[in-house]
Amino acid sequence: MKAITANRLRDGDVVFLGEGGRWVESFAEAALFARSDADAVLAAAKEKAEREQFGVDIYAFEVTEENGVPVPATMRERIRTAGPTVRTDLGKQAA
């Protein structure tokens, strides 16, 4: 499985492509795509985000399952979904 992420231009926050092509702030709300579908969805998301000047650094990343729950496959993406590692009172983990 794959998810699609970007950095929102307005504030630099990490966002994820959710159901219906809308951008969401929580990884839990991110849409998951089969690897075979991810490239086409990514291309469309990039085109729309660039046209609307919404986000930058748009890419797909691998998602695995742990105990039946989708989680980012790499440490980099796990950090991006939670926020800064040096202060847990900031970022998404503080919410």
Side-chain angles (χ1 to χ4, degrees):
M1 292 184 291
K2 288 193 171 191
I4 296 174
T5 187
N7 286 92
R8 189 169 44 207
L9 276 176
R10 177 172 39 101
D11 57 8
D13 199 16
V14 175
V15 292
F16 306 92
L17 190 63
E19 295 297 326
R22 65 183 179 86
W23 292 98
V24 296
E25 294 182 1
S26 170
F27 174 72
E29 297 178 68
L32 302 178
F33 305 96
R35 289 183 185 154
S36 59
D37 299 331
D39 288 340
V41 174
L42 176 60
K46 280 184 175 183
E47 189 274 325
K48 182 178 180 197
E50 290 172 7
R51 183 180 67 245
E52 295 175 355
Q53 296 183 347
F54 175 82
V56 294
D57 196 22
I58 304 165
Y59 62 92
F61 64 94
E62 291 289 329
V63 175
T64 61
E65 276 193 23
E66 289 183 7
N67 300 317
V69 177
V71 295
T74 65
M75 184 57 67
R76 177 183 195 271
E77 298 309 327
R78 289 180 188 210
I79 291 169
R80 289 184 83 241
T81 62
T85 59
V86 294
R87 291 197 43 199
T88 56
D89 61 321
L90 300 174
K92 296 177 188 300
Q93 75 267 22

mmCIF file of all heavy atoms in Angstrom, residues 17-34:
data_model
loop_
_atom_site.group_PDB
_atom_site.id
_atom_site.type_symbol
_atom_site.label_atom_id
_atom_site.label_comp_id
_atom_site.label_asym_id
_atom_site.label_seq_id
_atom_site.Cartn_x
_atom_site.Cartn_y
_atom_site.Cartn_z
ATOM 1 N N LEU A 17 -3.047 12.987 1.322
ATOM 2 C CA LEU A 17 -4.192 12.930 0.424
ATOM 3 C C LEU A 17 -5.220 11.977 1.017
ATOM 4 O O LEU A 17 -4.916 10.814 1.296
ATOM 5 C CB LEU A 17 -3.765 12.455 -0.965
ATOM 6 C CG LEU A 17 -4.824 12.577 -2.045
ATOM 7 C CD1 LEU A 17 -5.208 14.027 -2.284
ATOM 8 C CD2 LEU A 17 -4.332 11.942 -3.336
ATOM 9 N N GLY A 18 -6.425 12.507 1.243
ATOM 10 C CA GLY A 18 -7.485 11.707 1.836
ATOM 11 C C GLY A 18 -8.493 11.259 0.789
ATOM 12 O O GLY A 18 -8.302 11.439 -0.414
ATOM 13 N N GLU A 19 -9.566 10.698 1.257
ATOM 14 C CA GLU A 19 -10.640 10.241 0.374
ATOM 15 C C GLU A 19 -11.199 11.403 -0.419
ATOM 16 O O GLU A 19 -11.289 12.526 0.082
ATOM 17 C CB GLU A 19 -11.760 9.587 1.196
ATOM 18 C CG GLU A 19 -11.341 8.312 1.908
ATOM 19 C CD GLU A 19 -10.934 7.200 0.963
ATOM 20 O OE1 GLU A 19 -11.511 7.082 -0.136
ATOM 21 O OE2 GLU A 19 -10.014 6.433 1.332
ATOM 22 N N GLY A 20 -11.548 11.144 -1.652
ATOM 23 C CA GLY A 20 -12.146 12.161 -2.498
ATOM 24 C C GLY A 20 -11.166 13.217 -2.980
ATOM 25 O O GLY A 20 -11.588 14.264 -3.458
ATOM 26 N N GLY A 21 -9.876 12.975 -2.810
ATOM 27 C CA GLY A 21 -8.875 13.915 -3.292
ATOM 28 C C GLY A 21 -8.680 15.142 -2.429
ATOM 29 O O GLY A 21 -8.036 16.103 -2.830
ATOM 30 N N ARG A 22 -9.214 15.132 -1.213
ATOM 31 C CA ARG A 22 -9.005 16.284 -0.331
ATOM 32 C C ARG A 22 -7.773 16.034 0.538
ATOM 33 O O ARG A 22 -7.446 14.905 0.863
ATOM 34 C CB ARG A 22 -10.238 16.565 0.526
ATOM 35 C CG ARG A 22 -10.569 15.487 1.516
ATOM 36 C CD ARG A 22 -11.858 15.806 2.283
ATOM 37 N NE ARG A 22 -12.162 14.727 3.207
ATOM 38 C CZ ARG A 22 -11.672 14.635 4.429
ATOM 39 N NH1 ARG A 22 -10.884 15.563 4.906
ATOM 40 N NH2 ARG A 22 -11.972 13.604 5.210
ATOM 41 N N TRP A 23 -7.104 17.108 0.902
ATOM 42 C CA TRP A 23 -5.906 17.017 1.735
ATOM 43 C C TRP A 23 -6.306 17.055 3.197
ATOM 44 O O TRP A 23 -7.139 17.869 3.603
ATOM 45 C CB TRP A 23 -4.941 18.143 1.404
ATOM 46 C CG TRP A 23 -4.356 17.999 0.038
ATOM 47 C CD1 TRP A 23 -4.777 18.628 -1.097
ATOM 48 C CD2 TRP A 23 -3.274 17.157 -0.349
ATOM 49 N NE1 TRP A 23 -4.008 18.234 -2.164
ATOM 50 C CE2 TRP A 23 -3.067 17.323 -1.735
ATOM 51 C CE3 TRP A 23 -2.440 16.278 0.329
ATOM 52 C CZ2 TRP A 23 -2.086 16.652 -2.440
ATOM 53 C CZ3 TRP A 23 -1.454 15.601 -0.371
ATOM 54 C CH2 TRP A 23 -1.283 15.787 -1.735
ATOM 55 N N VAL A 24 -5.739 16.152 3.999
ATOM 56 C CA VAL A 24 -6.052 16.057 5.423
ATOM 57 C C VAL A 24 -4.761 16.173 6.229
ATOM 58 O O VAL A 24 -3.678 15.895 5.729
ATOM 59 C CB VAL A 24 -6.774 14.725 5.740
ATOM 60 C CG1 VAL A 24 -8.123 14.666 5.033
ATOM 61 C CG2 VAL A 24 -5.921 13.520 5.365
ATOM 62 N N GLU A 25 -4.871 16.582 7.481
ATOM 63 C CA GLU A 25 -3.698 16.768 8.322
ATOM 64 C C GLU A 25 -3.290 15.520 9.082
ATOM 65 O O GLU A 25 -2.165 15.412 9.538
ATOM 66 C CB GLU A 25 -3.945 17.917 9.301
ATOM 67 C CG GLU A 25 -4.069 19.254 8.608
ATOM 68 C CD GLU A 25 -4.266 20.411 9.570
ATOM 69 O OE1 GLU A 25 -4.281 20.189 10.802
ATOM 70 O OE2 GLU A 25 -4.389 21.541 9.087
ATOM 71 N N SER A 26 -4.184 14.578 9.218
ATOM 72 C CA SER A 26 -3.912 13.377 10.001
ATOM 73 C C SER A 26 -3.642 12.169 9.104
ATOM 74 O O SER A 26 -4.424 11.878 8.189
ATOM 75 C CB SER A 26 -5.121 13.082 10.895
ATOM 76 O OG SER A 26 -4.995 11.815 11.498
ATOM 77 N N PHE A 27 -2.577 11.449 9.411
ATOM 78 C CA PHE A 27 -2.284 10.232 8.652
ATOM 79 C C PHE A 27 -3.430 9.224 8.788
ATOM 80 O O PHE A 27 -3.710 8.471 7.858
ATOM 81 C CB PHE A 27 -0.957 9.605 9.113
ATOM 82 C CG PHE A 27 -0.679 8.288 8.460
ATOM 83 C CD1 PHE A 27 -0.327 8.233 7.119
ATOM 84 C CD2 PHE A 27 -0.784 7.108 9.177
ATOM 85 C CE1 PHE A 27 -0.095 7.008 6.502
ATOM 86 C CE2 PHE A 27 -0.538 5.891 8.567
ATOM 87 C CZ PHE A 27 -0.192 5.838 7.227
ATOM 88 N N ALA A 28 -4.105 9.220 9.913
ATOM 89 C CA ALA A 28 -5.230 8.291 10.117
ATOM 90 C C ALA A 28 -6.337 8.509 9.096
ATOM 91 O O ALA A 28 -7.106 7.596 8.804
ATOM 92 C CB ALA A 28 -5.779 8.441 11.535
ATOM 93 N N GLU A 29 -6.420 9.707 8.529
ATOM 94 C CA GLU A 29 -7.433 10.022 7.523
ATOM 95 C C GLU A 29 -6.920 9.878 6.093
ATOM 96 O O GLU A 29 -7.661 10.107 5.135
ATOM 97 C CB GLU A 29 -7.929 11.455 7.705
ATOM 98 C CG GLU A 29 -8.622 11.718 9.022
ATOM 99 C CD GLU A 29 -9.026 13.168 9.141
ATOM 100 O OE1 GLU A 29 -9.933 13.583 8.377
ATOM 101 O OE2 GLU A 29 -8.425 13.874 9.956
ATOM 102 N N ALA A 30 -5.660 9.510 5.938
ATOM 103 C CA ALA A 30 -5.061 9.389 4.606
ATOM 104 C C ALA A 30 -5.675 8.216 3.843
ATOM 105 O O ALA A 30 -5.948 7.158 4.414
ATOM 106 C CB ALA A 30 -3.556 9.186 4.716
ATOM 107 N N ALA A 31 -5.895 8.424 2.563
ATOM 108 C CA ALA A 31 -6.351 7.337 1.690
ATOM 109 C C ALA A 31 -5.146 6.447 1.384
ATOM 110 O O ALA A 31 -4.024 6.935 1.253
ATOM 111 C CB ALA A 31 -6.927 7.906 0.406
ATOM 112 N N LEU A 32 -5.383 5.161 1.291
ATOM 113 C CA LEU A 32 -4.320 4.213 0.959
ATOM 114 C C LEU A 32 -4.591 3.654 -0.430
ATOM 115 O O LEU A 32 -5.737 3.355 -0.777
ATOM 116 C CB LEU A 32 -4.262 3.097 1.995
ATOM 117 C CG LEU A 32 -4.025 3.561 3.433
ATOM 118 C CD1 LEU A 32 -4.044 2.378 4.386
ATOM 119 C CD2 LEU A 32 -2.717 4.330 3.546
ATOM 120 N N PHE A 33 -3.526 3.512 -1.207
ATOM 121 C CA PHE A 33 -3.650 3.092 -2.596
ATOM 122 C C PHE A 33 -2.804 1.859 -2.858
ATOM 123 O O PHE A 33 -1.713 1.713 -2.298
ATOM 124 C CB PHE A 33 -3.177 4.222 -3.530
ATOM 125 C CG PHE A 33 -3.894 5.508 -3.294
ATOM 126 C CD1 PHE A 33 -3.354 6.491 -2.478
ATOM 127 C CD2 PHE A 33 -5.136 5.741 -3.864
ATOM 128 C CE1 PHE A 33 -4.021 7.675 -2.241
ATOM 129 C CE2 PHE A 33 -5.813 6.928 -3.634
ATOM 130 C CZ PHE A 33 -5.260 7.897 -2.821
ATOM 131 N N ALA A 34 -3.307 1.009 -3.731
ATOM 132 C CA ALA A 34 -2.509 -0.124 -4.190
ATOM 133 C C ALA A 34 -1.305 0.428 -4.940
ATOM 134 O O ALA A 34 -1.387 1.493 -5.565
ATOM 135 C CB ALA A 34 -3.339 -1.020 -5.104
#
